[in-house]
Amino acid sequence: MKKKVLIIVSIFTIAINLPFTGNAQNPIIQTNYTADPAPMVYNDTVFLYTSHDEDDAVGFKMKNWLLYTSTDMVNWTDHGVVASLKDFKWVSSDNGAWAPQCIRRNNKFYMYCPVPNGLGIGVLVSDSPYGPFKDPIGKPLIKNSLDDIDPTVFIDDDGQAYLYWGNPNLYYVKLNEDMVSYSGEIVNVPTKPANYQEGPWFWKRNGRYYLAYASTCCPEGIGYAMSNSPTGPWKYKGMIMDGDRRSSGNHPGIIDYKGHSYVFGFNYAISQRTMSKHYERRSICLENFTYNADGSIKKLPFWSTTGVKQLGTINPYNRIEAETMAFSEGLKTESSTEWERNTSWDQGKKIADRFYVSSIHNGDYIKVQGVNFSKGATSVDVSVASLYGGKIEIHTDKINGPIMGTVNINISGEGDVWKTISAPVKNIHGVHDLYFVFRGEKELFYFDWWKFQ
Ligand code: FUB
């Protein structure tokens, strides 16, 4: 009997000491079609730069690059368009914003952006990972061949930077310290690793160099090779993930973050839900992976629907941007500038640039995972700009779970007057998933942020 009590006490102790371990859902971004993930860790935050398939894309229709951030790998904050083809004066086309990668050096952020069909690989620079990014050289950094796509950039411990790229050939060049020029010849890697197709991703771990890549089209899986040197020779080590008929393409982005290893890629799961035809409307997915003792990588199954475990929780007593979400349905995001609006003909001074959730209709929802009500709750504030008005039901733990509170937005407007509306909520404690479920007719309102008291 004594033993039984001890076991129960131990299980309870383990349970209260365990970090919150809810799983997210793949694909990780739902408000846009996204592909070609390029994650970068900076200031304890994951910055995920992506390419962007337009909502009406049939083939590749890609005008700009997007940015998402996360500190828990499950809730991602949408920052919208971070750069676009318009940032390059030498690009006249409005299609071709293919797979980018961003890296930090000397407190500047360098984003390498390929434009296909022989236009080349450009570079943009910013003082901030959020942009604005500018083209410092006014011409392509790389203009070598029709293969000039999919750049991956890496800075070695000795300060030498390398740019690899290419489909179907694999090239590299040594970048100068300014990161916007290079020295020496462009090298066409004589022996490509087996199954190399495109989308290389270059990193180093424990003194070993790695190159992951989209392998043998199509469907593309993710293969990888290792080397003792940043310039090869590269030895094929196997597949991180086999190709699968559910996704014709793939494209790796790999990081270590808070003690875990992550591989990003993409599938077509969101577009396939509603469309039987194949269109280039892709969605980024994320998995954990692990290394063996010899540095090789344990193979993964195809992208799961559950994704990765959450690292940490969300603090609901902070202002949380509405565009921070673990999952959503039916929603978009957009930005606008808010003006003082002195009279109907004088907009007055600029108050703020806002980025918010839009296209909100009856039944759409935002899921925020792992919200820690350590101090309980009495009320919620939401910042909204009304269109036809409606309400926000806040459900806990399931989309049809208990309603913690309802915010009524009983005003109609033109979506340009922002108001903070408060509503009482049931007091809950502990870690919960929140579902902000929208109710009403037509397009309801814009939603900027929320905060609990
Ligand atoms: O997104 C356009 C192209 O599709 C990329 O450059 C390739 O890697 C493939 O993902």
Side-chain angles (χ1 to χ4, degrees):
M1 184 62 182
K2 228 179 176 180
K3 210 170 170 192
K4 222 178 186 177
V5 171
L6 205 79
I7 291 170
I8 291 168
V9 169
S10 322
I11 290 172
F12 182 69
T13 316
I14 292 168
I16 54 172
N17 286 334
L18 270 179
F20 180 73
T21 53
N23 272 50
Q25 280 162 276
N26 268 327
I28 60 171
I29 310 292
Q30 306 84 34
T31 47
N32 281 302
Y33 291 112
T34 54
D36 306 327
M40 174 186 80
V41 179
Y42 171 64
N43 264 356
D44 276 341
T45 300
V46 178
F47 289 78
L48 176 62
Y49 298 87
T50 78
S51 58
H52 173 202
D53 294 329
E54 293 293 321
D55 287 355
D56 60 351
V58 175
F60 290 130
K61 188 174 179 191
M62 306 164 76
K63 300 168 186 289
N64 46 39
W65 294 278
L66 307 180
L67 173 63
Y68 299 82
T69 57
S70 180
T71 53
D72 65 17
M73 301 307 278
V74 162
N75 295 296
W76 290 90
T77 304
D78 187 336
H79 299 272
V81 174
V82 73
S84 92
L85 290 173
K86 291 190 183 126
D87 294 318
F88 293 116
K89 291 225 162 47
W90 47 273
V91 178
S92 54
S93 168
D94 69 346
N95 188 8
W98 284 20
Q101 190 178 346
C102 188
I103 198 167
R104 174 174 174 248
R105 182 165 208 167
N106 298 333
N107 280 330
K108 291 209 181 290
F109 296 84
Y110 297 88
M111 192 169 163
Y112 298 85
C113 304
V115 191
N117 304 320
L119 268 83
I121 299 173
V123 58
L124 296 171
V125 187
S126 174
D127 293 330
S128 155
Y130 300 99
F133 284 90
K134 298 230 153 53
D135 177 356
I137 56 175
K139 59 179 186 182
L141 169 65
I142 305 291
K143 195 169 166 62
N144 177 51
S145 74
L146 281 174
D147 301 345
D148 294 341
I149 63 165
D150 294 356
T152 179
V153 60
F154 166 75
I155 305 170
D156 208 348
D157 304 331
D158 63 2
Q160 178 62 58
Y162 298 86
L163 192 77
Y164 272 82
W165 73 94
N167 170 356
N169 290 304
L170 174 64
Y171 303 87
Y172 77 82
V173 76
K174 290 183 177 176
L175 295 176
N176 294 331
E177 204 184 332
D178 65 9
M179 300 298 277
V180 300
S181 62
Y182 60 85
S183 296
E185 294 297 303
I186 291 175
V187 179
N188 185 344
V189 175
T191 319
K192 286 188 298 178
N195 301 341
Y196 177 84
Q197 179 71 33
E198 59 179 357
W201 185 268
F202 186 13
W203 79 107
K204 186 181 187 182
R205 189 173 185 273
N206 295 341
R208 301 175 175 112
Y209 297 89
Y210 291 82
L211 201 67
Y213 46 86
S215 62
T216 317
C217 182
C218 291
E220 285 178 334
I222 299 176
Y224 78 105
M226 291 172 68
S227 177
N228 294 324
S229 144
T231 53
W234 293 99
K235 186 161 186 244
Y236 175 66
K237 297 295 286 184
M239 300 298 285
I240 298 176
M241 179 181 288
D242 282 332
D244 186 289
R245 62 187 169 74
R246 282 170 282 178
S247 186
S248 64
N250 221 325
H251 187 118
I254 290 178
I255 50 165
D256 275 3
Y257 181 62
K258 294 185 178 171
H260 302 271
S261 297
Y262 294 94
V263 54
F264 296 74
F266 64 75
N267 67 16
Y268 292 74
I270 294 182
S271 58
Q272 282 166 351
R273 266 192 220 158
T274 49
M275 284 167 295
S276 52
K277 271 194 175 171
H278 176 85
Y279 295 129
E280 290 301 342
R281 300 180 196 175
R282 299 163 289 176
S283 298
I284 287 179
C285 296
L286 172 63
E287 298 292 350
N288 277 120
F289 71 93
T290 48
Y291 292 88
N292 297 308
D294 65 355
S296 58
I297 293 173
K298 289 205 174 92
K299 191 170 167 183
L300 298 174
F302 188 64
W303 306 113
S304 66
T305 49
T306 46
V308 302
K309 288 203 164 62
Q310 186 171 0
L311 308 174
T313 51
I314 295 265
N315 180 349
Y317 316 114
N318 287 339
R319 169 182 151 156
I320 306 294
E321 296 301 315
E323 61 275 13
T324 297
M325 45 184 90
F327 209 80
S328 69
E329 280 195 57
L331 303 171
K332 304 299 287 177
T333 50
E334 61 184 74
S335 61
S336 68
T337 301
E338 191 185 354
W339 302 93
E340 231 173 26
R341 177 71 77 93
N342 293 334
T343 61
S344 57
W345 47 268
D346 174 15
Q347 65 184 15
K349 279 201 211 113
K350 179 169 150 176
I351 299 172
D353 285 320
R354 288 195 187 247
F355 194 75
Y356 47 85
V357 173
S358 60
S359 190
I360 301 178
H361 298 90
N362 187 43
D364 296 343
Y365 70 91
I366 293 169
K367 175 188 177 186
V368 182
Q369 187 167 303
V371 181
N372 191 353
F373 288 95
S374 56
K375 297 186 276 186
T378 52
S379 66
V380 65
D381 292 344
V382 301
S383 171
V384 290
S386 191
L387 294 158
Y388 283 89
K391 58 184 178 177
I392 307 175
E393 292 172 356
I394 306 173
H395 294 249
T396 48
D397 301 322
K398 284 190 208 150
I399 189 161
N400 54 0
I403 296 186
M404 179 187 184
T406 300
V407 187
N408 290 304
I409 296 133
N410 292 327
I411 28 174
S412 61
E414 291 177 12
D416 56 352
V417 179
W418 288 92
K419 291 224 175 326
T420 301
I421 300 181
S422 301
V425 294
K426 282 190 192 133
N427 192 8
I428 57 169
H429 284 85
V431 178
H432 295 270
D433 296 343
L434 294 186
Y435 289 81
F436 294 85
V437 183
F438 304 106
R439 302 285 180 211
E441 284 176 26
K442 304 193 183 168
E443 190 169 357
L444 312 185
F445 40 79
Y446 299 133
F447 186 13
D448 190 9
W449 55 262
W450 54 268
K451 181 179 179 169
F452 283 83
Q453 321 292 332

